[in-house]
């Protein structure tokens, strides 16, 4: 089975993140890059599926040069090879442009299954899986916390507010995963040593047959028009229990629509 | 080597992630001695495939010897950083855990690999190298520390085809829990005790006459159980005697001192890096008289000295890695010099970190007091500072 995992390098959530004042896009140079957390679960699921059904796992990343670090980590975890789509023309792409670019690369690599994290911790649009499935003309199975493959059919448990839906489709397909699906492995020392010998194909926009007008900041259909720092956290409210503490807390939660 | 390579940093980050998830939540239990370190070490081995690597390297070496292709050195040919980085990172939180691991692998398994027959290695060393079993290395006795061999009183007497061993050992790392014990004693052949040959046996937990004590109470390093061994007429066949590697037990033990002492430099680096990181954070955030304490020169002096120590010890560690890559082993005097400097630096840095934190430094919650207690052991075990000085000076004066 040919499994492609889409991996995005995002700014480390533990370091302060900021937008650039000139074009309102994320300042990727300002923070250390790490693999988007949910994508680690996607990598793990791809490796588990490969271990169970055989095949090959390819990591696909679109991002600047320094995204190589994330690719190496995915390869160290056990992925077989990687494709790195890297081109200045891609900088500032929105979800629509990104899904188009990735579609073009997937046209070259082929795939039975595309797995990705349900959203990234930077933009958090959570739209890529749906857009990609639509562009590729294959089923989308979203928010999966369990994936099973039987021949050419795939079944996932899709988490919902009330539990889960069991969703079945035929392969090829696109699956987005949530963090409940598995526990991502640490790269083994042997895996880390092997990673540097695994093939990483670097592609530019032209190599992948991408129309440069449809990607990047200029080709984006959406624009961040303004941004502001998050307001400082408001002071908490202390409820003094004078026999009616429980009622006061319930009242507060109800006013915030938590209950 | 000027810096850790990208591959090294990936190893370091992976280990850090594992430590945060698996070790930090248990630091209190480890430091009280309530939690022995062995399950965590096994978890480390499984998680990073260190057990599989050890197994495959062991088999390769055995196969190489069978076909006459091995030089017998047992070198893994891998990246030396791969064994150094876990030591550095783990020592930031639990130098005792590293001590327990290092004694089992480096000293117990290391001795059997160097001096054992292929059958003895298969029987005892493989399970130690994969950490399926825990090893101890027993030299020190109640009456002999620095004068380990001269003052050694444990004896083996030949009776028929067997040896009958008697004596007691103390300060034995992993002693209370060890499955496999490399045991040094003197052949009782009627000669003057000081002239007797040193023999090295491999003993198994549960052998009749072998008693392993409960952990001893100590100043620090609580995550490394230390104990006593009592042997009363323990009968060991010749199959338990390690005779290879050239020289007697004394010569081979000295080779272990080199490994052990060089390893302490990596341990010291971990303690120093962690104390420095915690101290810098604290100096920036702790405010006194309306200023962060880092603005005061007395605090700056402490930080600057810690950084000098970090750079120096890191350079020693990098040099040692380069030597390993070049297939060289430090001399005993070089290893002693590394250990002496690194151990003193770690103890001083950790002590100064406690001072910099003031009252908070004396509280366990702020972590530096544990590192200060643990680092003190670096100046005592694997040869005291004073013994290192002797070895360095003796080498200089003999040139």
């Amino acid at each position: 089975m040919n499994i492609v995992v889409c991996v995005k390098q995002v700014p480390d959530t533990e370091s302060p993140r900021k937008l650039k004042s000139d074009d309102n896009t994320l300042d990727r140079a300002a923070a250390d890059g790490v693999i988007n957390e949910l994508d680690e679960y996607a990598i793990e699921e791809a490796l588990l599926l490969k271990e169970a059904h055989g095949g090959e796992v390819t990591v696909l990343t679109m991002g600047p040069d320094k995204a190589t670090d994330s690719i190496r980590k995915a390869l160290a975890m056990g992925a077989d090879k990687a494709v790195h789509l890297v081109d200045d023309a891609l900088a500032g792409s929105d979800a629509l442009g990104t899904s188009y670019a990735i579609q073009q690369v997937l046209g070259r690599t082929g795939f039975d299954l595309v797995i990705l994290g349900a959203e990234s911790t930077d933009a958090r649009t959570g739209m890529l899986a749906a857009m990609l499935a639509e562009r590729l003309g294959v089923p989308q199975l979203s928010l999966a916390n369990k994936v099973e493959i039987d021949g050419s059919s795939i079944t996932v448990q899709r988490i919902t507010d009330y539990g889960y839906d069991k969703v079945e489709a035929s392969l090829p397909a696109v699956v987005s995963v949530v963090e409940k699906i598995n526990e991502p492995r640490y790269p083994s020392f042997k895996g880390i040593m092997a990673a540097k010998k695994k093939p990483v194909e670097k592609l530019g926009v032209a190599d992948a047959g991408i129309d440069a007008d449809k990607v990047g900041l200029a080709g984006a259909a959406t624009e961040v028009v303004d941004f502001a720092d998050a307001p400082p956290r408001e002071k908490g409210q202390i409820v003094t229990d004078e026999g009616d503490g429980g009622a006061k807390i319930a009242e507060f939660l109800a006013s915030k629509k938590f209950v | 080597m000027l810096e850790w390579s990208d591959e090294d940093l990936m190893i370091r980050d992976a280990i850090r992630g594992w430590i945060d998830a698996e070790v930090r939540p248990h630091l209190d239990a480890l430091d009280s001695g309530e939690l022995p370190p062995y399950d965590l070490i096994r978890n480390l081995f499984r998680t990073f495939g260190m057990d599989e690597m050890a197994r495959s390297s062991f088999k390769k070496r055995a196969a190489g010897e069978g076909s006459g292709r091995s030089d017998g050195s047992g070198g893994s040919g891998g990246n030396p950083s791969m064994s150094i980085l876990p030591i550095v990172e783990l020592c930031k939180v639990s130098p005792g855990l590293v001590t327990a691991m290092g004694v089992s692998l480096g000293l117990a398994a290391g001795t059997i690999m160097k001096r054992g027959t292929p059958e003895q290695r298969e029987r005892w060393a493989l399970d130690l190298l994969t950490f399926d079993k825990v090893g101890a290395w027993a030299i020190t006795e109640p009456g002999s520390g620095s004068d380990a061999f001269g003052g050694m009183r444990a004896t083996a007497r030949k009776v028929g085809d067997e040896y009958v061993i008697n004596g007691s050992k103390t300060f034995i790392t992993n002693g209370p829990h060890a499955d496999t014990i490399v045991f040094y004693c003197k052949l009782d052949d009627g000669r003057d005790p000081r002239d007797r040959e040193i023999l090295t046996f491999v003993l198994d937990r549960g052998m009749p006459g072998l008693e392993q004590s409960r952990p001893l109470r100590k100043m620090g390093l609580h995550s490394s159980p230390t104990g006593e061994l009592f042997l009363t007429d323990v009968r060991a066949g010749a199959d338990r005697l390690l005779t290879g590697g050239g020289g007697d037990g004394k010569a081979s033990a000295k080779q272990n001192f080199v490994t052990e002492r060089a390893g302490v430099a990596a341990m010291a680096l971990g303690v120093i890096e962690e104390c420095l990181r915690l101290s810098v954070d604290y100096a920036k955030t702790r405010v006194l008289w309306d200023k962060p304490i880092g603005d005061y020169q007395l605090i700056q002096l402490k930080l600057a000295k810690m950084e000098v120590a970090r750079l120096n010890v890191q350079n020693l560690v990098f040099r040692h890695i380069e030597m390993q890559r070049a297939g060289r082993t430090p001399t005993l005097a070089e290893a002693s010099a590394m250990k002496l400097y690194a151990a003193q630096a770690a103890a001083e840095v950790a002590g100064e970190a406690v001072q910099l934190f003031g009252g908070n430094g004396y509280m366990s919650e702020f972590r530096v007091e544990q590192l200060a207690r643990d680092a003190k052991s670096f100046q005592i075990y694997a040869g005291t500072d004073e013994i290192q000085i002797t070895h360095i000076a003796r080498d200089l004066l003999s040139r």
Side-chain angles (χ1 to χ4, degrees):
Chain A
M1 190 165 48
N2 180 3
I3 307 170
V4 178
V5 191
C6 296
V7 171
K8 185 180 190 183
Q9 188 178 56
V10 296
D12 191 342
T13 45
E14 291 190 8
S15 53
R17 288 166 289 172
K18 54 182 183 179
L19 299 183
K20 290 190 284 185
S21 54
D22 52 349
D23 62 5
N24 296 355
T25 62
L26 187 65
D27 188 351
R28 295 190 184 277
D32 286 340
V34 296
I35 292 185
N36 175 46
E37 195 184 341
L38 282 178
D39 296 348
E40 291 200 19
Y41 295 85
I43 297 164
E44 177 65 28
E45 197 58 24
L47 296 174
L48 291 172
L49 289 171
K50 178 192 153 180
E51 282 158 15
H53 302 282
E56 196 172 49
V57 175
T58 305
V59 174
L60 168 55
T61 289
M62 173 173 137
D65 270 331
K66 77 171 191 173
T68 312
D69 297 347
S70 296
I71 290 174
R72 288 287 167 214
K73 182 172 178 194
L75 292 173
M77 285 171 75
D80 299 286
K81 59 191 172 73
V83 178
H84 185 181
L85 184 56
V86 50
D87 200 310
D88 289 345
L90 295 162
S93 294
D94 62 359
L96 206 61
T98 303
S99 63
Y100 161 67
I102 289 177
Q103 174 206 6
Q104 294 303 106
V105 179
L106 287 170
R108 288 169 52 99
T109 59
F111 65 94
D112 296 310
L113 185 62
V114 176
I115 308 184
L116 63 171
E119 66 176 18
S120 60
T121 52
D122 52 1
R124 305 197 66 169
T125 65
M127 295 191 291
L128 194 67
M131 287 179 170
L132 206 49
E134 182 64 21
R135 286 187 184 277
L136 294 165
V138 300
Q140 180 208 187
L141 301 98
S142 59
L143 306 175
N145 73 353
K146 189 175 181 186
V147 176
E148 279 173 347
I149 290 188
D150 185 5
S152 63
S153 86
I154 175 167
T155 309
V156 310
Q157 282 185 10
R158 179 183 191 279
I159 54 152
T160 63
D161 289 343
Y162 44 83
Y164 66 84
D165 292 330
K166 197 169 170 184
V167 183
E168 194 179 316
S170 58
L171 293 173
V174 173
V175 174
S176 69
V177 303
V178 296
E179 75 282 1
K180 284 184 186 145
I181 193 164
N182 56 43
E183 190 58 49
R185 67 193 67 187
Y186 293 94
S188 71
F189 288 177
K190 200 173 164 189
I192 291 173
M193 285 200 300
K196 65 180 172 192
K197 294 181 194 131
K198 290 182 176 173
V200 179
E201 187 185 11
K202 283 203 172 192
L203 295 178
V205 163
D207 306 317
I210 294 168
D211 178 351
D213 291 340
K214 293 187 180 173
V215 294
L217 198 57
T222 57
E223 186 190 353
V224 176
V225 291
D226 196 12
F227 67 89
D229 289 337
R233 288 175 69 163
E234 284 175 27
K235 239 184 177 176
Q237 190 181 323
I238 297 171
V239 174
T240 311
D241 185 14
E242 288 160 349
D244 57 352
K248 278 183 179 166
I249 288 173
E251 222 169 78
F252 172 80
L253 291 174
S255 74
K256 299 285 180 191
K257 298 194 175 9
F258 283 118
V259 290
Chain B
M1 178 171 179
L2 296 174
E3 275 302 337
W4 299 111
S5 69
D6 287 348
E7 192 178 84
D8 293 340
L9 294 179
M10 203 187 281
I11 292 174
R12 186 196 69 184
D13 291 348
I15 294 274
R16 278 187 187 173
W18 179 83
I19 289 172
D20 288 346
E22 305 292 338
V23 184
R24 286 195 191 268
H26 303 296
L27 283 181
D28 286 344
L30 279 167
D31 194 45
S32 66
E34 175 194 330
L35 177 69
Y38 308 110
D39 282 346
L40 279 171
I41 301 172
R42 288 192 185 102
N43 176 335
L44 172 79
F45 268 60
R46 273 198 309 274
T47 301
F48 294 102
M50 291 157 76
D51 49 354
E52 268 314 306
M53 282 172 77
R55 201 168 285 122
S56 109
S57 155
F58 183 91
K59 285 193 177 139
K60 238 182 245 171
R61 174 178 164 165
E65 279 178 349
S67 66
R69 280 187 283 106
S70 167
D71 62 1
S73 67
S76 65
N79 178 0
S81 309
M82 216 182 285
S83 52
I84 302 276
L85 275 164
I87 295 176
V88 175
E89 292 303 315
L90 281 164
C91 275
K92 293 179 179 179
V93 290
S94 182
L97 198 144
V98 175
T99 303
M101 183 170 76
V103 165
S104 189
L105 294 175
L107 299 184
T111 303
I112 300 169
M113 289 303 284
K114 276 201 280 285
R115 305 195 59 211
T117 61
E119 293 73 30
Q120 288 173 322
R121 290 183 211 148
E122 180 88 34
R123 183 173 169 191
W124 288 296
L126 180 57
D127 285 344
L128 294 177
L129 291 168
T130 57
F131 220 87
D132 286 326
K133 286 191 174 172
V134 176
W137 190 70
I139 284 196
T140 304
E141 297 183 1
S144 71
S146 296
D147 180 20
F149 296 107
M152 188 176 284
R153 299 179 68 165
T155 57
R157 190 165 37 86
K158 194 139 200 244
V159 179
D161 291 339
E162 286 186 327
Y163 293 88
V164 178
I165 309 172
N166 281 284
S168 61
K169 299 284 175 184
T170 192
F171 308 153
I172 305 305
T173 299
N174 298 333
H177 299 271
D179 303 296
T180 305
I181 298 160
V182 174
F183 188 90
Y184 289 79
C185 56
K186 286 186 172 176
L187 178 65
D188 181 1
D189 55 4
R191 281 190 285 175
D192 183 274
R194 287 218 162 244
D195 300 331
R196 289 177 184 173
E197 186 187 350
I198 305 282
L199 298 181
T200 315
F201 288 93
V202 186
L203 307 177
D204 289 310
R205 181 180 192 82
M207 286 175 77
L210 167 63
E211 191 192 330
Q212 297 172 244
S213 79
R214 290 155 56 93
L216 299 167
R217 278 171 59 88
K218 49 191 196 286
M219 174 178 174
L221 228 56
H222 298 304
S223 48
S224 161
T226 307
E228 295 170 290
L229 303 173
F230 304 101
L231 281 82
T232 312
D233 291 336
V234 172
R235 302 184 83 87
D239 57 326
R240 294 182 174 275
L241 189 59
L242 299 176
T243 56
D248 68 351
K250 194 170 171 179
S252 95
K254 280 197 168 165
Q255 189 48 46
N256 279 352
F257 292 155
V258 172
T259 315
E260 202 182 14
R261 288 175 191 179
V264 171
M267 297 181 73
L269 180 59
V271 169
I272 292 169
E273 283 188 356
E274 183 72 349
C275 286
L276 180 58
R277 182 183 71 83
L278 293 169
S279 297
V280 168
D281 279 355
Y282 195 75
K284 283 179 179 173
T285 50
R286 168 74 167 151
V287 173
L288 277 179
W289 297 288
D290 300 325
K291 284 200 288 192
I293 59 169
D295 283 1
Y296 297 102
Q297 290 186 337
L298 282 172
I299 298 297
Q300 291 173 1
L301 178 63
K302 290 189 198 305
L303 295 176
K305 281 185 164 178
M306 289 181 193
E307 173 64 0
V308 171
R310 187 193 68 79
L311 280 168
N312 283 337
V313 174
Q314 182 179 265
N315 284 339
L316 288 173
V317 170
F318 282 179
R319 179 171 184 274
H320 184 226
I321 290 174
E322 279 303 312
M323 283 183 94
Q324 282 180 280
R325 288 199 179 125
R328 283 180 55 202
T329 310
T331 63
L332 183 61
E334 278 175 326
S336 302
M338 271 177 83
K339 198 238 174 201
L340 175 68
Y341 179 80
Q344 288 185 342
E348 189 180 332
V349 165
E352 282 295 86
V354 172
Q355 194 66 23
L356 185 146
F357 273 72
N360 283 334
Y362 208 67
M363 299 294 124
S364 301
E365 187 189 342
F366 289 80
R367 302 266 311 107
V368 285
E369 64 84 28
Q370 179 216 316
L371 293 175
R373 285 184 284 110
D374 290 356
K376 183 64 195 169
S377 69
F378 298 168
Q379 292 184 275
I380 296 172
Y381 72 16
T384 58
D385 279 4
E386 291 72 16
I387 287 293
Q388 313 303 328
I389 290 164
T390 312
H391 283 160
I392 299 164
R394 201 183 289 160
D395 176 69
L396 288 170
L397 296 170
S398 70
R399 289 178 192 173

